[in-house]
Amino acid sequence: MDASLRRFSIFYFCYYAALGAYTPYVGRWVDALGHGGYVVGGMLGLWYGTRIVAPPAWAALTSRSDKPGNWFVAGCGLTLLCFSAFLFTGSAWALLAVMAVFGLFYNAVMPQFEAMTLTALGPRADLYGRLRVWGSIGFLIVAGTYGALLDRVGAEHFAWVTLPLFVLLLAAAWPHRHDRQVEHAPTAADAGHLWKRPGVRRFLLVALLMQASFGPFYVFYTLHLQAAGHSGATVGGLWALGVLIEIAMFWKAPKLIARFGASRLLMVCLAVTVLRWIVTALYAESLPIMALAQATHALSFATFYACCMRLMADFFPGRRAGAGQSLFFGFSQGVGGVLGAGLAAVAWERSGGELAFLAGAAVAALAWLLYALRRQSVAAAAP
């Protein structure tokens, strides 16, 4: 790898390493502090909610500056400062308040960094994957080991053992303080009339429902497996397995899409996701079955995401791509993430992990039905 680009791969590694601690284990920490499912769900709901407002708000600030690199470093510094506040909070309202501010900065800096990366690559955009894969590696290492670490030190110390990762995040951001101005990042508001393009609304609704079906997984998967008797090390291994398969599948997905078509593969991914959540709900005690369920992450996440990106290229070609991507991520990952976290919290409080994952399966089944009806209407309209 070009030495001038190594600092980009280092930041991706540090950013997603911190995320590898936060996403899988924040629920275990909140549970260890004595809070219930609603607080756990609220923490993740705020995480996804800030994804809707943080990137465009931060883009509006950085676009007015002739030194965006300084804003980027400041954003990472504020992320560290806000996370540090978790060391001194214990009540539910304090946790949620800190989460809201922390999420605003943590979710704001990555879209800016993505733009900085593409600006630095210029005509060498094909190298992006080689830089971004280090983020997946960072997530894999931390998510795969933090379960055992929390077994050893106690889940209540999660904030203390995670803080060094955010220190490294700030250190990795420092070399980018002089990076040059990036173009304005399109927001969902820039998409405007694109919402009315044929097929877009149904596609976005399917993507939203798919993201919502992942709510129980992102919020309660660790707690669900621990309730079934698995150790923290085992849970970490299962998280790592899913990420490993995700990385491998991203390399294979383009060939599969070229052979079978994105629309057809999307149907398969939705169907597999329904089965995945049913199995996770009913057979959590079986490690081999849970490993097999995690292996389906290759379809329910990696291939599904690759198919969405291929369809996005059809819906929003050329200069419309940026606004389309903003619309897609704000609607699916933002709104869908919030709804999924809320659904998971309600189901968990009522009847635990089994009901939560069955609810996720029902949402994924609804997404499959909506997309199947879309394909049938297209076929019926064909001459």
Side-chain angles (χ1 to χ4, degrees), residues 130-155:
R130 297 184 183 180
L131 302 178
R132 175 60 179 80
V133 73
W134 285 97
S136 297
I137 293 171
F139 187 97
L140 170 67
I141 292 173
V142 174
T145 58
Y146 254 50
L149 176 62
L150 293 180
D151 282 349
R152 188 176 186 87
V153 304

Side-chain angles (χ1 to χ4, degrees), residues 7-19 47 50-51 54-56 58-59 62 71-73 75-76 79 102-118 128 131-132 134-136 169 172-173 176 182 185 329 333:
R7 59 195 176 98
F8 290 90
S9 61
I10 291 172
F11 184 81
Y12 278 120
F13 181 93
C14 293
Y15 182 93
Y16 285 102
L19 192 62
W47 167 255
T50 54
R51 285 186 171 186
W58 193 253
T62 58
W71 277 98
F72 174 68
V73 175
C76 293
T79 299
F102 164 69
L104 281 175
F105 292 112
Y106 194 26
N107 281 320
V109 296
M110 180 48 69
Q112 183 190 0
F113 185 71
E114 294 272 40
M116 291 162 60
T117 301
L118 293 175
Y128 172 82
L131 302 178
R132 175 60 179 80
W134 285 97
S136 297
L169 176 73
H176 298 275
V182 299
F329 283 106
Q333 294 197 15

Side-chain angles (χ1 to χ4, degrees), residues 122 193 317:
H193 64 283

